[in-house]
């Protein structure tokens, strides 16, 4: 969806909205400070409460809020105020600098977390030694008692814990208290309540012990400090890992040069890429990346287009050739005219597409959001019940145990893992796809690809190269010429021909570096072929009808010609001075990798169908060569969608693979439309999945990536839910009466709860990051 034009967008707006027919606008805000799924729900609630907002979608992994709104009722500054009013920060960004601003903000966040972890750990370690050491080593307790003044231990422990609680731990008070006041508690609120309860109880036990029941004046300063330290450590590791999930996008952005060399009024000057205008002449020197898309106007050079096509071989570019921004020039300079700049360039569209897909949510995420909306309040209720139950029924004195168990419940219930389970896997999966030339239009597309049971392949340009090529050169045993000589003679006759079959013969001779002659006379014989005079000889090249009409002796080549025709190849006879010297076969050849791709689809258990407008014989020949299961031949372009619908009526979940342009109706009808092509010809809008290169093996790779990504999401969700469902009751103390249970589980200390909570976050992100290294073939 596009958005409405804004003359001066406020800071924090991800893009300048453009108008659309529905009268709504779409924008993204970069949001800092979110730490868990409850934060996501809180930001979404704040945005949807704004009058004029149609929908809001917040992603924890990308730290962005996508908003659809009515510009006549609300503007971007009000959306920013709503986010900031909820207690979060909107990062100030401008156009092309958005990713850089987000990266800088994330780096600052990681640095601040690292600093706080070091400070907290440096103070918590002596606190642990002073409080826990004497219990483990009585001799250490005796030494401390001898060296510290009477009554000094309690104030010393308080001082160390207070610095941790209100120094590094101040971030929990900043956001957690605000969330409590607004009645939308989040992870920070849980940590705030848990650590404050432990710290507050210990402070009373230290300085006002008479206020507590006899025998219950125990201190838990080490618990509050260690919890703060472990939670901060978990966030620090999470921030480091989360930053790696966006590596694919950063790699794509790195392909875009920051400056361009343009010629204006005859003067060559270097300008920022953002200043390049459509129609500018751009100069590219050897080894440089092309700044924008365009058409070559002067010079020629080999260009590495592997980032577009996936093919490592450079492509020769000369006047009239299209070039793509981000590709790498070879060893010669050339000039090209800019045709697409800014967000119009192919690379920018790819980046935007991957970002949009990464920011989307799977349907399962919507259910998760509803669960999280009530999860934190429910945890607070469980913690309150835990406190009251231990206070009423626990062993005397029960107050200390009641506080400790309630704190353990609050800490272990943090919903971070829930909020990160789906978006981190989507981000890494989408990034992996982008690196391998597979673009998913949405997260739903990523999820749906794995459900396919049948794949329909368009023939021309998908299974085949889409242009005729010489496949066979048969020489008569009576001819005084060899195979290269026959091909050179045919190419010499066709030199300058504009007929596709003639061009194929000339191209084959050129690829073999054969020497060609110039015909002295040339005559096109409509419907039959050509006649040419070459080196004093009369050369005929055409079909059998030409040979018959000119009374050419066929020299026993009829059987070879018949065999080639049965293989659905176009045969052309070549005769010299009334004698047939050979037969040349031309066909639309199978693309490299097509046979392997069909085999891989079969290995995945899919039915493979070919659809083509060619006659049945030609279609069957191609199907046999490639290994196709079913063939729809002689299909008119307008009927392709009907054949897809027929397969769906048979119970298949259908993926349609085509060029994305003339197959658009069929791509739209299919459960998943997959556009296959190269460079700027890729029709992203027509399909759910786009394969940037022309390699059909991208289809099974996309299916494999879908399977692996969804499997990672399910693993993450299982871990997140299993962790909370299992450990919250343990933290509450349900195993306390079970004497056979391990002591560590009968009384789960808040420190262990904090460690388990941090471990769950790191596990979820680490599991998602495994997708970066999966093999897709």
């Amino acid at each position: 969806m596009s958005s409405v034009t804004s003359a001066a967008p406020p800071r924090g707006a991800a893009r300048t909205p453009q108008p659309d027919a529905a009268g709504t606008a779409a924008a993204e805000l970069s949001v800092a400070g979110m730490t868990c799924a409850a934060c996501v729900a809180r930001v979404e609630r704040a945005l949807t409460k704004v009058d004029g907002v149609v929908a809001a979608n917040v992603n924890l992994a990308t730290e962005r809020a996508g908003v659809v709104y009515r510009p006549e009722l609300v503007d971007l500054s009000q959306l920013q105020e709503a986010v900031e009013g909820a207690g979060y920060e909107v990062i100030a960004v401008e156009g092309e600098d958005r990713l850089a601003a987000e990266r800088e903000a994330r780096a600052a966040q990681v640095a601040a977390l690292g600093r706080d972890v070091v400070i907290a750990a440096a103070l918590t370690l002596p606190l642990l030694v002073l409080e826990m050491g004497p219990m483990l080593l009585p001799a250490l307790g005796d030494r401390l008692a001898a060296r510290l003044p009477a009554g000094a231990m309690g104030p010393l422990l308080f001082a160390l814990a207070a610095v941790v609680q209100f120094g590094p731990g101040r971030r929990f008070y900043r956001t957690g208290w605000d969330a409590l006041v607004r009645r939308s508690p989040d992870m920070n609120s849980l940590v705030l309540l848990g650590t404050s309860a432990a710290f507050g109880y210990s402070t009373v036990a230290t300085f006002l012990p008479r206020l507590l029941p006899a025998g219950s004046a125990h201190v838990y300063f080490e618990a509050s400090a260690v919890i703060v330290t472990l939670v901060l450590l978990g966030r620090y590791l999470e921030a480091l890992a989360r930053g790696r999930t966006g590596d694919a996008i950063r790699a794509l952005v790195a392909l875009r040069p920051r400056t361009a060399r343009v010629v204006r009024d005859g003067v060559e000057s270097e300008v920022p890429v953002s200043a390049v205008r459509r129609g500018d002449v751009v100069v590219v020197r050897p080894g440089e990346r092309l700044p924008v898309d365009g058409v070559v106007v002067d010079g020629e050079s080999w260009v590495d287009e592997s980032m577009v096509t996936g093919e490592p071989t450079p492509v020769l570019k000369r006047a009239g050739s299209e070039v793509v921004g981000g590709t790498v020039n070879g060893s010669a300079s050339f000039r090209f005219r800019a045709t697409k700049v800014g967000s119009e360039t192919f690379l920018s569209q790819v980046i935007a597409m991957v970002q949009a897909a990464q920011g989307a949510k799977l349907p399962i995420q919507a259910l998760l959001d509803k669960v999280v909306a009530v999860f934190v309040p429910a945890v607070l209720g469980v913690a309150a019940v835990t406190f009251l139950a231990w206070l009423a029924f626990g062993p005397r004195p029960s107050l200390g145990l009641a506080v400790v168990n309630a704190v353990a419940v609050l800490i272990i219930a943090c919903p971070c893992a829930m909020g990160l389970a789906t978006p981190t896997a989507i981000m890494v999966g989408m990034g992996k796809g982008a690196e391998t030339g597979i673009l998913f239009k949405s997260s739903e597309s990523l999820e749906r690809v794995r459900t396919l049971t049948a794949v329909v392949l368009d023939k021309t340009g998908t299974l085949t190269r889409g242009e005729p090529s010489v496949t066979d050169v048969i020489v008569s045993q009576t001819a005084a010429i060899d195979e290269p000589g026959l091909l050179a003679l045919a190419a010499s006759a066709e030199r300058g021909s504009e007929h596709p079959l003639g061009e194929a013969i000339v191209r084959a001779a050129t690829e073999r570096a054969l020497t060609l002659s110039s015909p002295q006379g040339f005559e096109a014989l409509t419907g039959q072929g050509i006649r040419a005079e070459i080196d004093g000889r009369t050369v005929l090249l055409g079909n059998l009808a030409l040979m018959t009409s000119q009374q050419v002796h066929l020299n026993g080549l009829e059987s070879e010609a018949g065999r080639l025709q049965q293989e659905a190849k176009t045969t052309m006879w070549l005769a010299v001075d009334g004698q047939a010297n050979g037969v040349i076969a031309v066909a639309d050849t199978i693309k490299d990798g097509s046979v392997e791709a069909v085999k891989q689809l079969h290995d995945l258990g899919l039915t493979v169908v070919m659809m083509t407008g060619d006659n049945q014989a030609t279609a069957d020949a191609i199907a046999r060569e490639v290994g196709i299961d079913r063939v729809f031949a002689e299909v008119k372009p307008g009927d392709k969608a009907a054949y897809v619908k027929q397969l769906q009526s048979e119970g298949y979940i259908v993926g349609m693979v085509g060029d994305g342009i003339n197959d658009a109706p069929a791509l739209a009808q299919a459960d998943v439309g997959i556009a296959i092509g190269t460079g700027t010809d890729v029709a992203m809008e027509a399909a759910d999945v786009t394969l940037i290169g022309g390699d059909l093996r991208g289809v099974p790779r996309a299916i494999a990536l879908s399977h692996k990504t969804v499997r990672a999401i399910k693993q993450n969700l299982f871990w997140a839910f299993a962790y909370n469902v299992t450990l919250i009751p343990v933290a509450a103390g349900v195993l306390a009466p079970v004497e056979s249970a391990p002591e560590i589980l009968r009384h789960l200390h808040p420190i262990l709860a904090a460690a388990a909570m941090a471990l769950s976050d790191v596990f979820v992100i680490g599991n998602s990051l495994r997708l970066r290294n999966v093999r897709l073939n």
Side-chain angles (χ1 to χ4, degrees), residues 53-294:
V53 171
V54 177
N57 173 23
V58 179
N59 187 296
L60 179 60
T62 59
E63 295 180 299
R64 291 181 184 173
V67 190
V68 178
Y69 63 99
R70 297 193 176 278
E72 71 274 13
L73 299 176
V74 61
D75 59 30
L76 292 173
S77 63
Q78 290 172 285
L79 299 179
Q80 177 183 325
E81 290 170 3
V83 174
E84 292 176 342
Y88 302 90
E89 178 187 356
V90 176
I91 299 174
V93 290
E94 294 289 343
E96 295 286 330
D97 296 328
R98 175 186 182 192
L99 284 171
E102 289 178 339
R103 185 167 59 250
E104 290 173 5
R106 192 170 288 116
Q109 178 190 26
V110 170
L113 280 169
R115 182 179 61 251
D116 283 350
V117 167
V118 170
I119 294 172
L123 295 170
T124 299
L125 184 60
L127 184 60
L128 277 172
V129 171
L130 291 173
E131 191 164 349
M132 305 295 292
M135 300 180 190
L136 301 174
L137 300 171
L140 176 61
D142 294 339
R143 288 188 179 182
L144 290 174
R147 300 195 177 189
L148 288 174
M153 178 65 77
L156 178 58
L157 296 176
F158 166 79
L160 291 171
V163 176
V164 175
Q165 186 76 17
F166 304 109
R170 68 193 179 282
R171 63 179 67 236
F172 303 117
Y173 285 90
R174 263 201 317 265
T175 52
W177 178 253
D178 188 55
L180 282 173
V181 170
R182 296 175 185 276
R183 298 181 182 179
S184 56
D186 59 9
M187 171 206 170
N188 297 294
S189 306
L190 297 181
V191 177
L192 162 66
L193 292 174
T195 58
S196 295
F199 180 81
Y201 182 87
S202 302
T203 301
V204 172
T206 300
F207 298 106
L208 300 169
R210 62 181 181 278
L211 298 180
L212 301 176
S216 64
H218 302 294
V219 294
Y220 301 99
F221 284 125
E222 91 289 349
S224 66
V226 171
I227 288 169
V228 168
T229 303
L230 287 177
V231 172
L232 289 176
L233 177 61
R235 283 200 187 177
Y236 176 70
L237 296 176
E238 175 191 315
L240 287 176
R242 196 191 301 182
R244 294 173 60 197
T245 61
D247 284 351
I249 287 291
R250 284 189 286 276
L252 288 173
V253 173
L255 297 176
R256 186 166 50 197
R258 290 190 172 275
T259 61
R261 200 171 289 103
V262 301
V263 179
R264 292 173 182 166
D265 299 326
V267 179
E268 183 179 314
S269 60
E270 192 169 285
V271 301
V273 169
S274 57
V276 178
R277 301 190 295 264
R278 195 182 296 110
D280 277 343
V281 173
V282 182
V283 180
V284 185
R285 293 175 180 172
E288 292 182 341
R289 287 193 182 274
L290 279 64
V292 295
D293 299 358

Side-chain angles (χ1 to χ4, degrees), residues 38 84 93 114 119 170 205 362-363 440 461 547 570 606 640:
E84 292 176 342
V93 290
I119 294 172
R170 68 193 179 282
L362 289 176
F440 295 92
M547 301 295 110
T570 300
L606 279 73
K640 289 185 176 182

